[in-house]
Amino acid sequence: MKGLSDWIVAVAALLIMVLSVFLVTNPLESAGKEIVDEIDEKHDESVMGYIEDLDANSETESIDEKKDLSTWSLIVDKEWSNFDNWAGSGLYFYEEDNIRYCTFKIYGSGVPVIYDYTTEVMIEEEGIISLELPEKYFDEEKENSDKTAKMKVEFDDEVIKLTNNGTVILFAFKEQKEDLDDKARSFINKYNLNIEEKLDREKIILEDGLSFELFCNASNKIGLDLNKYKNEEVDVYKYRLKEESLQERSRLIVANILFNNQEEIVGAFLHTGNMPGVVSLDEKSIIKPENLNPEKLNFEGVNKIEILGPREETPIDMWSKK
């Protein structure tokens, strides 16, 4: 029995030794530990990279925000205009899907816009942005060019300065409280006149002369003192009326509404192709009555026509002398 128990003890001790060696040198446990260490290392790198990205984005957003405060936020969602040439031009800045844009417009006479070009806006440094626009509209020597030119935009003293090859063009913003077209139409409707269509819009200088006197007389009759705007520039809105002139030679009647640079109505008159040519908006004697279409006289079967007058004396006066 003693020999058997000693043998059992020896076998148990041997098993314990084998198990101990296996547990210490287990390849699966070692591989598992390496995988865990590798995951931890990659995780640390990923976390550090994410933190670095956050820092970079935060720095970019901080710089971008600083530029916005000095430039973009002051000009965005507004239209800036220049009226040095013809009907004028404009710049409209806006943002869409986090991308900044500018639309360059050329205003028309009779239509709001005859040309537009949209380009992306780049913010280069604080207070200055850049964009590319067709050079033919900013350089007379390149009027046939199809290329664009890089231009600088600065905002200073409530004015946009667009610089192209050393030439500075100023664009100013002026908020319109009321659309001038609507204002002109309402004014015409006050005199029970009906608009057929808008014809034109133009800027003119009220130079002294016969035309200016006629404009003043017609305006004065409805309480507008146009005379104080002599030799000044006004904005004229023109509308063809549904009403027609009595004169067959030209039935057209055009209402003209004049605005000063404060967008106030300072003059108004009707223009026809017949004498007297210019009359006030309340002059109804030139307008053909509705549904009046006189037929031509038919002289068939008439043997004699006698025309009486003009006479200084009436037939009654002549009879009383006899």
Side-chain angles (χ1 to χ4, degrees), residues 269-315:
F269 57 86
L270 299 179
H271 183 266
T272 71
N274 309 293
M275 292 297 293
V278 176
V279 298
S280 68
L281 267 64
D282 62 356
E283 180 59 69
K284 298 298 190 288
S285 64
I286 64 164
I287 297 175
K288 185 184 78 171
E290 191 177 356
N291 300 322
L292 176 63
N293 295 299
E295 297 181 358
K296 291 185 178 180
L297 295 175
N298 185 358
F299 296 104
E300 251 182 60
V302 177
N303 297 322
K304 182 180 179 182
I305 297 177
E306 184 177 354
I307 299 177
L308 300 177
R311 292 176 176 171
E312 294 181 0
E313 297 177 318
T314 66

Side-chain angles (χ1 to χ4, degrees), residues 92-105:
Y92 176 69
F93 297 90
Y94 65 98
E95 189 169 335
E96 191 173 281
D97 296 330
N98 295 322
I99 301 176
R100 300 176 179 92
Y101 295 98
C102 173
T103 298
F104 168 68
K105 303 178 181 181

Side-chain angles (χ1 to χ4, degrees), residues 204-220:
I204 63 171
I205 303 294
L206 294 174
E207 297 179 352
D208 194 14
L210 177 60
S211 294
F212 179 63
E213 289 183 15
L214 292 173
F215 298 165
C216 287
N217 291 337
S219 298
N220 287 338

